[in-house]
Amino acid sequence: MSSLTPGSPLDRGSLRSALSAPLLIAALGFAAMYVPVYWWAANGIWQSDEQAHGALILLVMVWLFWGLRGPIAAAPNEPAPGWGWPIFVFGLLVYFVGRVVNITIL
């Protein structure tokens, strides 16, 4: 006998709808941040001879992280809410400085 009743808030349908809005917002936020950066790189800096390997490095990094997605997902989770906001603010600051000052490595 299942511990979840059909009207339970933890059933599969309501869980999917509860997670879809935050995931959609996060995906749109990442797209708003990174699509312009990669578009600029593909049409700008990656066209030069010195930086043409940038796209290959990006593909290798995606391939490596894709191969590690299982072990990363299986890693034990220990919530650390005190670190979330400082890391988020630091990442946003690095992104902002890199865009404003035009530091391509950031």
Side-chain angles (χ1 to χ4, degrees), residues 1 3-4 7 18 21 29 36 42-43 54 58 65 69 76 79-80 97 101:
M1 179 172 185
S3 63
L4 297 176
N43 292 313
L58 176 65
F65 277 109
R69 73 186 185 282
V97 169
V101 185

mmCIF file of all heavy atoms in Angstrom, residues 1 3-4 7 18 21 29 36 42-43 54 58 65 69 76 79-80 97 101:
data_model
loop_
_atom_site.group_PDB
_atom_site.id
_atom_site.type_symbol
_atom_site.label_atom_id
_atom_site.label_comp_id
_atom_site.label_asym_id
_atom_site.label_seq_id
_atom_site.Cartn_x
_atom_site.Cartn_y
_atom_site.Cartn_z
ATOM 1 N N MET A 1 0.847 -1.179 0.000
ATOM 2 C CA MET A 1 0.000 0.000 0.000
ATOM 3 C C MET A 1 0.890 1.239 0.000
ATOM 4 O O MET A 1 1.842 1.346 0.754
ATOM 5 C CB MET A 1 -0.896 -0.026 1.231
ATOM 6 C CG MET A 1 -1.789 1.151 1.339
ATOM 7 S SD MET A 1 -2.927 0.855 2.702
ATOM 8 C CE MET A 1 -3.917 2.261 2.528
ATOM 9 N N SER A 3 2.012 5.088 0.574
ATOM 10 C CA SER A 3 1.776 6.097 1.607
ATOM 11 C C SER A 3 1.250 7.395 1.013
ATOM 12 O O SER A 3 0.851 8.285 1.738
ATOM 13 C CB SER A 3 3.060 6.360 2.390
ATOM 14 O OG SER A 3 4.029 6.886 1.518
ATOM 15 N N LEU A 4 1.267 7.482 -0.306
ATOM 16 C CA LEU A 4 0.763 8.678 -0.971
ATOM 17 C C LEU A 4 -0.662 8.442 -1.418
ATOM 18 O O LEU A 4 -0.962 7.486 -2.109
ATOM 19 C CB LEU A 4 1.620 9.037 -2.185
ATOM 20 C CG LEU A 4 3.066 9.407 -1.906
ATOM 21 C CD1 LEU A 4 3.787 9.646 -3.208
ATOM 22 C CD2 LEU A 4 3.143 10.627 -1.034
ATOM 23 N N GLY A 7 -4.861 12.426 -3.548
ATOM 24 C CA GLY A 7 -4.984 13.861 -3.356
ATOM 25 C C GLY A 7 -3.801 14.474 -2.641
ATOM 26 O O GLY A 7 -3.810 15.645 -2.291
ATOM 27 N N ALA A 18 4.727 21.762 -9.495
ATOM 28 C CA ALA A 18 5.357 22.627 -8.496
ATOM 29 C C ALA A 18 6.795 22.939 -8.864
ATOM 30 O O ALA A 18 7.294 24.020 -8.587
ATOM 31 C CB ALA A 18 5.293 21.975 -7.125
ATOM 32 N N ALA A 21 7.583 25.601 -12.567
ATOM 33 C CA ALA A 21 7.678 27.061 -12.564
ATOM 34 C C ALA A 21 9.064 27.548 -12.120
ATOM 35 O O ALA A 21 9.672 28.354 -12.821
ATOM 36 C CB ALA A 21 6.580 27.666 -11.697
ATOM 37 N N GLY A 29 16.363 32.567 -16.851
ATOM 38 C CA GLY A 29 17.419 33.428 -16.321
ATOM 39 C C GLY A 29 18.789 33.067 -16.876
ATOM 40 O O GLY A 29 19.553 33.940 -17.285
ATOM 41 N N PRO A 36 23.452 35.648 -24.852
ATOM 42 C CA PRO A 36 24.202 36.778 -25.429
ATOM 43 C C PRO A 36 25.716 36.625 -25.327
ATOM 44 O O PRO A 36 26.446 37.023 -26.237
ATOM 45 C CB PRO A 36 23.727 37.991 -24.612
ATOM 46 C CG PRO A 36 22.443 37.593 -24.023
ATOM 47 C CD PRO A 36 22.517 36.113 -23.823
ATOM 48 N N ALA A 42 30.869 33.608 -30.226
ATOM 49 C CA ALA A 42 30.855 32.914 -31.516
ATOM 50 C C ALA A 42 31.032 33.877 -32.674
ATOM 51 O O ALA A 42 31.644 33.529 -33.689
ATOM 52 C CB ALA A 42 29.552 32.139 -31.672
ATOM 53 N N ASN A 43 30.524 35.085 -32.542
ATOM 54 C CA ASN A 43 30.622 36.059 -33.628
ATOM 55 C C ASN A 43 31.754 37.057 -33.440
ATOM 56 O O ASN A 43 31.966 37.908 -34.293
ATOM 57 C CB ASN A 43 29.309 36.821 -33.783
ATOM 58 C CG ASN A 43 28.209 35.915 -34.273
ATOM 59 O OD1 ASN A 43 28.384 35.151 -35.205
ATOM 60 N ND2 ASN A 43 27.059 35.987 -33.613
ATOM 61 N N GLY A 54 38.302 28.389 -28.284
ATOM 62 C CA GLY A 54 37.318 28.569 -27.221
ATOM 63 C C GLY A 54 36.100 27.690 -27.367
ATOM 64 O O GLY A 54 35.600 27.123 -26.388
ATOM 65 N N LEU A 58 34.818 24.744 -24.801
ATOM 66 C CA LEU A 58 33.443 24.697 -24.301
ATOM 67 C C LEU A 58 32.827 23.327 -24.555
ATOM 68 O O LEU A 58 32.194 22.750 -23.655
ATOM 69 C CB LEU A 58 32.604 25.793 -24.952
ATOM 70 C CG LEU A 58 31.124 25.798 -24.583
ATOM 71 C CD1 LEU A 58 30.936 26.097 -23.103
ATOM 72 C CD2 LEU A 58 30.373 26.797 -25.430
ATOM 73 N N PHE A 65 31.371 17.288 -18.194
ATOM 74 C CA PHE A 65 30.325 17.408 -17.179
ATOM 75 C C PHE A 65 29.144 16.497 -17.476
ATOM 76 O O PHE A 65 28.502 15.994 -16.565
ATOM 77 C CB PHE A 65 29.877 18.862 -17.026
ATOM 78 C CG PHE A 65 30.780 19.646 -16.136
ATOM 79 C CD1 PHE A 65 31.610 20.615 -16.648
ATOM 80 C CD2 PHE A 65 30.811 19.407 -14.777
ATOM 81 C CE1 PHE A 65 32.460 21.334 -15.836
ATOM 82 C CE2 PHE A 65 31.653 20.114 -13.942
ATOM 83 C CZ PHE A 65 32.481 21.081 -14.479
ATOM 84 N N ARG A 69 27.557 13.586 -14.842
ATOM 85 C CA ARG A 69 26.274 13.998 -14.274
ATOM 86 C C ARG A 69 25.721 12.972 -13.295
ATOM 87 O O ARG A 69 25.098 13.330 -12.304
ATOM 88 C CB ARG A 69 25.267 14.304 -15.375
ATOM 89 C CG ARG A 69 24.733 13.103 -16.094
ATOM 90 C CD ARG A 69 23.855 13.485 -17.275
ATOM 91 N NE ARG A 69 23.263 12.326 -17.886
ATOM 92 C CZ ARG A 69 23.885 11.500 -18.712
ATOM 93 N NH1 ARG A 69 25.151 11.726 -19.009
ATOM 94 N NH2 ARG A 69 23.250 10.471 -19.224
ATOM 95 N N PRO A 76 26.148 12.972 -1.933
ATOM 96 C CA PRO A 76 25.259 13.252 -0.798
ATOM 97 C C PRO A 76 24.969 14.752 -0.683
ATOM 98 O O PRO A 76 25.854 15.586 -0.874
ATOM 99 C CB PRO A 76 26.040 12.755 0.418
ATOM 100 C CG PRO A 76 27.450 12.668 -0.031
ATOM 101 C CD PRO A 76 27.438 12.455 -1.510
ATOM 102 N N PRO A 79 22.240 20.311 3.002
ATOM 103 C CA PRO A 79 21.840 21.709 2.803
ATOM 104 C C PRO A 79 22.752 22.662 3.574
ATOM 105 O O PRO A 79 23.107 22.425 4.722
ATOM 106 C CB PRO A 79 20.420 21.762 3.354
ATOM 107 C CG PRO A 79 19.943 20.348 3.351
ATOM 108 C CD PRO A 79 21.155 19.496 3.536
ATOM 109 N N ALA A 80 23.146 23.712 2.897
ATOM 110 C CA ALA A 80 23.958 24.763 3.508
ATOM 111 C C ALA A 80 23.386 26.105 3.064
ATOM 112 O O ALA A 80 23.970 26.801 2.235
ATOM 113 C CB ALA A 80 25.410 24.627 3.092
ATOM 114 N N VAL A 97 30.793 42.334 -13.557
ATOM 115 C CA VAL A 97 32.089 42.972 -13.823
ATOM 116 C C VAL A 97 32.632 42.525 -15.172
ATOM 117 O O VAL A 97 33.155 43.335 -15.938
ATOM 118 C CB VAL A 97 33.077 42.681 -12.671
ATOM 119 C CG1 VAL A 97 34.495 43.104 -13.050
ATOM 120 C CG2 VAL A 97 32.637 43.383 -11.410
ATOM 121 N N VAL A 101 33.112 45.603 -17.766
ATOM 122 C CA VAL A 101 34.496 45.961 -18.031
ATOM 123 C C VAL A 101 35.031 45.223 -19.251
ATOM 124 O O VAL A 101 36.132 45.492 -19.701
ATOM 125 C CB VAL A 101 35.362 45.694 -16.768
ATOM 126 C CG1 VAL A 101 36.782 46.154 -16.961
ATOM 127 C CG2 VAL A 101 34.757 46.367 -15.551
#
